[in-house]
Amino acid sequence: MTHVASAPHEAPLTQIDHARAGRVTPQMAAVAAAEGRDAEAIRAAVACGRIAIPANVRHGSLAPAGVGSTLDGVPLSTKVNVNLGISGDLSDEAAEWEKVAVALELGADAIMDLSNSGKTAAFRRELIRRSPAMIGTVPMYDAIGYLEKALVAITPEDFLRVVRAHAEDGVDFVTIHAGMNRRVIESFKETGRLANIVSRGGSLIFAWMEATGRENPFYEYYDEVLAILHEFDVTISLGDAMRPGSGYDATDAAQVAELVELGKLTKRAWDAGVQVMVEGPGHMALDEIAANMRLEKRLCHGAPFYVLGPLVTDIAPGYDHITAAIGGAVAASAGADFLCYVTPAEHLRLPDASDVREGLVATKIAAHAADIAKGVPGARDRDDRMSDARRRVAWDEMFDLALDPARARAVFESAPPSNEGTCTMCGKMCALRTVNAIMDGLAVDLDADQR
């Protein structure tokens, strides 16, 4: 049953507060217009937590996007996220801005700034100022550089300071690994894993817990985290510290134990008037994906689901944008609402702008294919227009309709055809050109060398 509770605040502050008060906000109206839905249906789903609209009150350049499904089960379009950010080994801010440009050019719905080296606030603030896409962060990544302390010296109060700094800057959603509590750690240690913990944020929290002997600070002080997020309407993206990092570990005791905890934390966030997304695997065999999507929706009360991949095989370094796109298409068609891209550089190095382009296009293909499969209203319209343009051999229209127009045009122009209205694949033997001529009552005369 869907959990709905009134937020314990005198005046509505967040999207979920306003929705429960019966008000359609400008952000809800914008999502309704973008998705071709009724604004009241959007409001009702936000009120129940089925749709999240990450929209920090300080992100003035934001073009709001909705993640999830309406109460009648009709999904919104699957959203796609791009990860980027400054790394200690490759600290090149100009390169990161090049990636931002590619992400915005190709229509990414979200950008996660995963910067983890040095003072990252200036980059984050400028990204929020420039970007119409929603912005996410993982405050845990920033903690050591922001606080200038060794990991074991950081206190729970310090962690909360970093969360507040990100919220004040205008971040729309934050990944908080609050579900990996002592109970989950015990399950992980008892059952074991092939790849252990592959979540960067999860590994840091695990290290802190083991070194200090304390509970996960984001779990122990979860109410304080929620109070900060509510103040700025930051959506909590409940991170999956125990996501499987290999197909062998998929759907194991540690993953499921954490998911149970995430379901409890989802309800607590809704009670506090905070919007929720839940993060999911990871690496997973193709035949396990659909069941995992249903499991998450059941245990987390229909909250929007945000998945990385899943990568369906572990032996394709250099091509993991493909392994992730295969899994992403299955995941989204089975109920996932939000896909995090994976690039060809996954497991190998920090991605460059070219990797970002390849990864984002692959993930957008997966998302769009899933939208068609799960019946998102209007999802097939663009495909039908492309088919009509192909029938008419209308190249400029085809390029405009492509997910990556620049790439499509560049490939075509790299090998100019000798016959107008064709390409070098078929030349004069182009099936569409031949049938068009016949349908127009024209004679078809192919030269001998075209047989």
Side-chain angles (χ1 to χ4, degrees):
M1 186 172 80
T2 301
H3 179 78
V4 181
S6 297
H9 305 283
E10 292 184 2
L13 291 173
T14 67
Q15 294 296 317
I16 200 168
D17 286 348
H18 287 295
R20 289 170 178 167
R23 182 186 175 206
V24 173
T25 65
Q27 292 82 4
M28 295 176 207
V31 169
E35 300 279 347
R37 308 296 178 86
D38 177 70
E40 175 56 26
I42 300 297
R43 183 207 63 77
V46 171
C48 293
R50 295 291 183 87
I51 289 176
I53 304 176
N56 189 309
V57 295
R58 293 189 173 182
H59 189 175
S61 62
L62 179 69
V67 182
S69 301
T70 54
L71 296 184
D72 57 4
V74 179
L76 303 183
S77 59
T78 304
K79 303 306 184 294
V80 173
N81 172 70
V82 162
N83 290 338
L84 47 80
I86 298 167
S87 163
D89 285 337
L90 288 173
S91 184
D92 185 345
E93 188 170 321
E96 298 311 309
W97 284 119
E98 187 178 358
K99 297 176 196 178
V100 171
V102 170
L104 296 179
E105 171 202 339
L106 292 174
D109 301 292
I111 297 174
M112 288 200 77
D113 174 16
L114 304 187
S115 296
N116 59 26
S117 177
K119 296 300 185 182
T120 61
F123 178 78
R124 179 172 63 249
R125 291 166 185 161
E126 183 63 14
L127 177 62
I128 292 165
R129 189 187 70 80
R130 293 189 195 184
S131 176
M134 51 187 167
I135 301 300
T137 61
V138 187
M140 186 67 199
Y141 291 0
D142 192 33
I144 295 173
Y146 178 88
L147 297 166
E148 297 182 324
K149 287 185 177 183
L151 178 62
V152 296
I154 298 175
T155 66
E157 293 75 18
D158 289 332
F159 286 124
L160 292 176
R161 282 174 52 207
V162 180
V163 173
R164 174 168 287 279
H166 284 225
E168 289 177 345
D169 283 346
V171 168
D172 300 298
F173 64 98
V174 288
T175 293
I176 301 291
H177 297 92
M180 187 183 65
N181 57 23
R182 282 289 174 193
R183 289 188 294 272
V184 174
I185 292 297
E186 288 173 8
S187 180
F188 161 64
K189 288 181 175 180
E190 183 178 354
T191 57
R193 273 188 160 183
L194 181 61
N196 288 326
I197 298 173
V198 301
S199 161
R200 187 192 309 172
S203 69
L204 293 171
I205 295 170
F206 175 72
W208 186 90
M209 293 170 68
E210 291 295 290
T212 63
R214 298 188 62 171
E215 178 60 276
N216 179 344
F218 296 107
Y219 178 79
E220 184 175 1
Y221 294 91
Y222 189 61
D223 290 336
E224 288 81 354
V225 171
L226 294 177
I228 294 168
L229 302 186
H230 184 272
E231 185 178 346
F232 299 92
D233 196 3
V234 179
T235 297
I236 189 167
S237 189
L238 287 167
D240 52 337
M242 288 295 175
R243 70 173 180 267
S246 74
Y248 184 90
D249 296 330
T251 326
D252 70 351
Q255 179 196 333
V256 176
E258 183 184 41
L259 189 58
V260 170
E261 298 297 329
L262 296 182
K264 300 174 187 176
L265 295 174
T266 294
K267 282 191 172 184
R268 287 175 61 185
W270 285 341
D271 284 345
V274 174
Q275 300 184 95
V276 178
M277 299 186 294
V278 178
E279 298 185 13
H283 293 234
M284 185 166 288
L286 201 64
D287 62 336
E288 294 184 65
I289 295 173
N292 267 263
M293 301 305 107
R294 291 192 291 271
L295 182 64
E296 184 278 340
K297 290 289 186 176
R298 176 68 178 271
L299 294 179
C300 295
H301 321 290
F305 200 19
Y306 175 27
V307 301
L308 176 72
L311 282 69
V312 295
T313 180
D314 297 326
I315 61 169
Y319 299 93
D320 276 329
H321 60 309
I322 297 174
T323 66
I326 293 169
V330 176
S333 65
D337 306 287
F338 193 10
L339 301 180
C340 183
Y341 89 153
V342 172
T343 78
E346 186 78 5
H347 302 114
L348 301 172
R349 62 165 169 79
L350 189 73
D352 60 21
S354 175
D355 296 321
V356 170
R357 180 176 291 275
E358 292 294 320
L360 178 51
V361 171
T363 308
K364 285 180 71 70
I365 291 169
H368 183 68
D371 286 349
I372 293 172
K374 61 187 178 183
V376 172
R380 192 187 291 273
D381 293 352
R382 186 171 171 183
D383 296 75
D384 292 344
R385 294 198 302 274
M386 176 67 87
S387 296
D388 180 65
R390 282 181 173 150
R391 176 184 58 81
R392 294 181 285 107
V393 200
W395 292 108
D396 286 339
E397 289 184 39
M398 288 186 248
F399 300 145
D400 289 343
L401 289 164
L403 281 173
D404 186 351
R407 172 70 178 272
R409 184 179 292 276
V411 170
F412 175 78
E413 293 178 349
S414 68
S418 57
N419 299 283
E420 186 177 352
T422 68
C423 75
T424 55
M425 172 67 78
C426 298
K428 287 183 179 180
M429 293 183 69
C430 172
L432 293 168
R433 181 173 179 267
T434 298
V435 174
N436 286 344
I438 293 171
M439 297 295 286
D440 289 341
L442 303 175
V444 176
D445 183 17
L446 300 180
D447 295 337
D449 63 357
Q450 296 294 324
R451 291 175 187 167

